[in-house]
Amino acid sequence: MNIKSFEEYREIYKQSEQDRLKFWEHEAGTFYWRKSWEKVHSGGFEKGDIKWFEGGKLNITENALDRHLNTIGNKTAFIFEPNHPDSFRRTITYRQLHEDVCRFANVLQEKGIEKGDRVCIYMAMTPELIISALACARIGAVHSIVFAGFSAQSLAERIQDCDAKMLITNDGLRRGDKHVPLKDISDEALESCPTVKNVIVCQRTNRDIDWKEGRDEWWHNLIRNASRNHKAVEMDAEDPLFILYTSGSTGKPKGVLHTCGGYMVYTSYTFRNVFQVQEEDVYWCTADAGWITGHSYIIYGPLFNGATGIIFEGTPTYPDPGRLWEVVEKYKVTHFYTAPTAIRALMSYDLKYVQKYDLSSLKVLGSVGEPINEEAWHWYDDHVGGGTCPIVDTWWQTETGGIMISPLAGVTPTKPGFATLPLPGIFPTLMDENGKEIEGNGVSGNLCIKHPWPGIARTVWGDHERYLKTYMSAYKGYYFTGDGCRRDPDGYYRITGRVDDVLNVSGHRLGTAEIENALDEHPNVVETAIVGYPHDIKGQGIYAFMICEKTPEDPKAFKKELHDLVTKIIGPIAKPDKIQITPGLPKTRSGKIMRRILRKVAADDLENVGDTSTLLDPSVVDDILKGEAY
Ligand code: WT7
């Protein structure tokens, strides 16, 4: 399907409604399958036993790479733009990428990695990260990419959870002016990960690192003699493709599992229709491959469609806040996909950083990860898009695999702050407090999805109960997204943010429980309650209310200790912005913290704290109102 007009969108949406299975079967038919599926779809939200294209045999990398060799083998698959603009940059054609993936697939197999084994990837945003992931997919190993900003402890937790057999990492990386010693962090993590037998280290910074003989090997040594021929391992459509950890409202991060066939069909279909990338276009998604956006819209979606993409190692403000626009000009980028937090950060600098560059190549702008405020939307539209580029505000989640609600570029009329309309094949609905669907327009509720789609996560690794509980139990027979949403009088959807205890900080998803657990490790901390509050650049900031054993003498030093602690346990992205020490927390008689009240205080909305009569001790609210954050 390649939708070209709004009328066509309406028509195809209707068709997808009338016969969902036929719609998805048609999409699946555009790929190369070694053997066709036996059943288009089975299972559902009730039991969480969802399957698509079962019995179909394929290897996803044959669709991402091999299939293109005869037609666009010499086309650029990736342009690699390093952290520093003067460092070595390179382009990789589809043929070269295929060769690199084949070689590395042979390396992995020689190291004893087999179909179904888990391989953890903890790397800089370089071509080797992508080659690693694709090589895993080629041999049927399950990749688990961990964002290279997470701490040793977070890395260890993820490796342990999925019993990874191998870790692929770099000696280190540079992000902006910072150096991150990935190998040192890996070494520390691996002390508690006995399942990892081999570590492959790809050179990036040439700094001194420790070496464990028999376990550690250099990427460049292994790849040197590896054959460039590799026969991809045959997979069933429902075999696992990757695990990606994401935060939930409770407990530890969960390993969201995606499978081969459905994920392939869904990422390809959404990429093609949302972005409308043409043959000669240059597409750039600024995400890191450590997040789902990178998986679906740097690696898989674009490769299935034979697009040219950019792998960007850097940050928006290094060496200066014109960096992104410099890259757009340099490669004549046509499609640019980023997060609102980046836009808001760049908005705060002088306009000259944007105006200095020729951005006339741009055709489509994308936004992802959090609600985009109208001010940022207009700045993006005016100053980056020159008023001529449609903005696709794409709503989706790690669990959905791909974009769910979004304008199709140049097809769907846009509206600032709105993700607009669902893609054909996707049926959103808003639910009221009684668990009933809300009909009509001009309404708000909790966002659910009716009917499974091919890209939906199939389970939480090792904990199917948690999968059922998190997504399928709040509303029987529906997938619950965790988001609140408004449907305006035109039927357009506007995502208003999480309704559960999940924060969205600079487009990164963090669970309040995770941060609380980390802070509670401090010897002076008795109990913590984390809430989000509106933050100009991050979207949401992290506000910690805490009960301390004794009042810290030097609050600044105490805050620094807490920051170091969180950085060590989770990573720097989870550092609280504000800390308020309080004698008590507002709890109900059953001992539940009433975060509603804390959210109001954190947002400085003191008039509207609301009813406090059900609290065990309503006087704690006065203490909190009198208190101060630093
Ligand atoms: C949560 C999912 C999807 C890739 C990046 C984040 C929020 C995502 C939007 C958007 C408003 C958005 C939601 C969602 N979100 N995109 N366009 N407008 N909110 O993936 O880490 O799984 O987080 O991000 O709250 O539930 P994720």
Side-chain angles (χ1 to χ4, degrees):
M1 209 66 70
N2 207 347
I3 301 162
K4 287 289 163 215
S5 70
F6 198 47
E7 295 70 51
E8 203 185 344
Y9 162 79
R10 294 272 189 213
E11 175 54 34
I12 290 173
Y13 193 85
K14 216 180 293 153
Q15 285 174 17
S16 77
E17 223 163 2
Q18 282 155 0
D19 195 340
R20 286 184 297 121
L21 300 193
K22 187 168 154 207
F23 176 80
W24 291 119
E25 185 159 35
H26 174 82
E27 280 308 316
T30 62
F31 291 89
Y32 166 63
W33 299 79
R34 289 203 193 162
K35 179 178 160 290
S36 194
W37 51 88
E38 279 143 27
K39 197 159 187 195
V40 182
H41 168 59
S42 67
F45 297 141
E46 299 284 346
K47 291 207 186 102
D49 53 350
I50 299 158
K51 292 190 167 85
W52 285 93
F53 317 115
E54 200 183 358
K57 302 290 180 194
L58 78 161
N59 186 287
I60 189 164
T61 69
E62 288 183 333
N63 284 286
L65 302 171
D66 304 55
R67 189 171 55 140
H68 300 315
L69 295 181
N70 288 331
T71 48
I72 52 165
N74 295 326
K75 181 176 175 176
T76 300
F78 287 116
I79 299 166
F80 172 57
E81 175 68 18
N83 179 54
H84 195 283
D86 296 337
S87 301
F88 179 66
R89 61 177 61 100
R90 60 194 155 123
T91 61
I92 304 163
T93 63
Y94 272 89
R95 196 177 313 287
Q96 288 164 337
L97 184 63
H98 175 261
E99 190 180 309
D100 287 343
V101 168
C102 285
R103 280 174 183 261
F104 199 61
N106 282 317
V107 168
L108 293 178
Q109 283 179 325
E110 276 160 32
K111 289 280 138 210
I113 303 296
E114 293 171 7
K115 179 172 174 174
D117 288 343
R118 274 78 60 205
V119 172
C120 181
I121 300 173
Y122 183 65
M123 294 180 91
M125 247 321 256
T126 53
E128 287 75 17
L129 191 171
I130 290 171
I131 291 163
S132 300
L134 291 169
C136 286
R138 195 162 181 93
I139 66 167
V142 183
H143 59 75
S144 170
I145 307 181
V146 176
F147 171 60
F150 278 115
S151 67
Q153 201 165 321
S154 293
L155 174 63
E157 234 168 63
R158 286 158 172 77
I159 292 175
Q160 288 159 5
D161 186 79
C162 70
D163 293 321
K165 241 174 139 174
M166 175 187 272
L167 175 68
I168 309 171
T169 189
N170 294 104
D171 45 357
L173 66 75
R174 288 198 183 79
R175 186 179 287 129
D177 55 11
K178 290 198 184 69
H179 172 259
V180 185
L182 292 184
K183 177 63 164 60
D184 294 351
I185 299 170
S186 298
D187 285 341
E188 191 188 331
L190 291 181
E191 281 172 23
S192 57
C193 301
T195 55
V196 173
K197 302 289 180 240
N198 297 91
V199 178
I200 299 181
V201 186
C202 187
Q203 205 163 40
R204 185 73 195 128
T205 55
N206 298 328
R207 291 217 185 179
D208 276 349
I209 50 172
D210 288 339
W211 203 253
K212 195 164 166 182
E213 285 305 330
R215 185 195 71 180
D216 302 346
E217 272 166 294
W218 284 112
W219 173 294
H220 54 261
N221 287 342
L222 292 168
I223 206 95
R224 194 173 298 136
N225 299 319
S227 160
R228 66 181 72 182
N229 298 314
H230 182 273
K231 180 103 186 87
V233 170
E234 185 165 290
M235 307 292 284
D236 190 275
E238 281 298 334
D239 281 335
L241 174 65
F242 67 83
I243 299 168
L244 182 59
Y245 286 85
T246 189
S247 296
S249 51
T250 55
K252 289 183 177 179
K254 41 185 182 263
V256 168
L257 181 85
H258 284 285
T259 56
C260 296
Y263 179 81
M264 172 178 81
V265 171
Y266 197 65
T267 52
S268 180
Y269 156 75
T270 51
F271 177 79
R272 193 166 58 253
N273 285 292
V274 171
F275 294 104
Q276 306 270 339
V277 170
Q278 308 297 311
E279 201 76 26
E280 302 297 317
D281 287 344
V282 177
Y283 162 87
W284 181 19
C285 167
T286 67
D288 188 285
W291 310 107
I292 190 70
T293 308
H295 284 62
S296 301
Y297 300 113
I298 294 177
I299 307 179
Y300 290 109
L303 292 179
F304 296 136
N305 287 285
T308 294
I310 293 180
I311 303 172
F312 179 53
E313 191 187 24
T315 72
T317 50
Y318 177 83
D320 68 49
R323 179 67 161 130
L324 300 182
W325 321 128
E326 182 232 326
V327 175
V328 169
E329 180 183 278
K330 184 159 53 188
Y331 300 116
K332 296 192 170 48
V333 171
T334 55
H335 291 66
F336 180 74
Y337 190 29
T338 198
T341 189
I343 299 165
R344 288 192 302 264
L346 296 177
M347 269 166 70
S348 66
Y349 294 95
D350 200 297
L351 260 185
K352 71 171 190 222
Y353 288 110
V354 194
Q355 287 164 345
K356 198 171 143 193
Y357 298 99
D358 177 7
L359 305 182
S360 61
S361 58
L362 286 170
K363 297 200 270 193
V364 174
L365 302 178
S367 173
V368 60
E370 48 177 325
I372 179 165
N373 48 312
E374 287 195 30
E375 198 194 346
W377 196 98
H378 285 298
W379 189 89
Y380 201 24
D381 185 29
D382 294 344
H383 300 297
V384 180
T388 62
C389 301
I391 296 179
V392 291
D393 176 2
T394 63
W395 174 84
W396 56 297
Q397 309 177 297
T398 305
E399 296 87 342
T400 68
I403 297 166
M404 301 283 282
I405 304 179
S406 170
L408 310 183
V411 169
T412 315
T414 60
K415 214 186 262 193
F418 282 79
T420 73
L421 297 168
L423 267 70
I426 301 301
F427 307 99
T429 179
L430 303 185
M431 309 301 272
D432 66 17
E433 310 81 83
N434 304 316
K436 291 257 161 352
E437 284 187 35
I438 306 171
E439 308 276 335
N441 292 335
V443 293
S444 297
N446 285 351
L447 179 63
C448 283
I449 311 290
K450 297 194 255 191
H451 312 302
W453 61 100
I456 188 177
R458 301 298 195 264
T459 191
V460 169
W461 183 261
D463 197 351
H464 197 63
E465 270 310 306
R466 188 165 177 204
Y467 172 80
L468 293 173
K469 191 155 168 268
T470 312
Y471 310 110
M472 322 282 171
S473 74
Y475 304 95
K476 274 269 162 285
Y478 297 83
Y479 167 82
F480 176 45
T481 64
D483 280 318
C485 182
R486 184 177 141 67
R487 189 164 54 219
D488 83 348
D490 296 331
Y492 268 33
Y493 290 84
R494 179 190 192 118
I495 312 299
T496 47
R498 302 290 303 198
V499 295
D500 53 8
D501 293 331
V502 168
L503 304 184
N504 194 325
V505 180
S506 301
H508 298 318
R509 189 163 149 184
L510 292 165
T512 48
E514 265 177 278
I515 309 172
E516 288 163 4
N517 291 340
L519 291 169
D520 290 348
E521 296 276 312
H522 191 284
N524 191 25
V525 174
V526 179
E527 194 178 2
T528 315
I530 295 286
V531 293
Y533 72 97
H535 186 289
D536 283 351
I537 289 175
K538 298 180 175 185
Q540 267 189 315
I542 304 175
Y543 197 120
F545 292 89
M546 51 172 57
I547 305 175
C548 286
E549 206 136 296
K550 40 184 198 307
T551 310
E553 276 160 28
D554 181 351
K556 259 205 168 137
F558 180 58
K559 190 171 179 178
K560 168 95 178 26
E561 281 168 34
L562 295 172
H563 278 184
D564 291 347
L565 185 65
V566 170
T567 302
K568 182 172 151 262
I569 297 178
I570 305 172
I573 52 178
K575 288 192 291 200
D577 298 280
K578 289 190 183 177
I579 286 162
Q580 178 172 344
I581 296 171
T582 169
L585 290 168
K587 290 194 180 167
T588 60
R589 288 190 185 91
S590 60
K592 235 184 118 193
I593 294 172
M594 252 175 146
R595 288 169 199 275
R596 171 177 62 80
I597 296 172
L598 298 177
R599 274 187 216 114
K600 293 288 181 195
V601 176
D604 210 14
D605 186 7
L606 304 182
E607 268 92 75
N608 296 311
V609 288
D611 181 26
T612 58
S613 61
T614 56
L615 289 177
L616 184 63
D617 175 10
S619 76
V620 298
V621 177
D622 296 329
D623 290 332
I624 289 173
L625 289 173
K626 272 187 264 155
E628 244 185 310
Y630 56 87

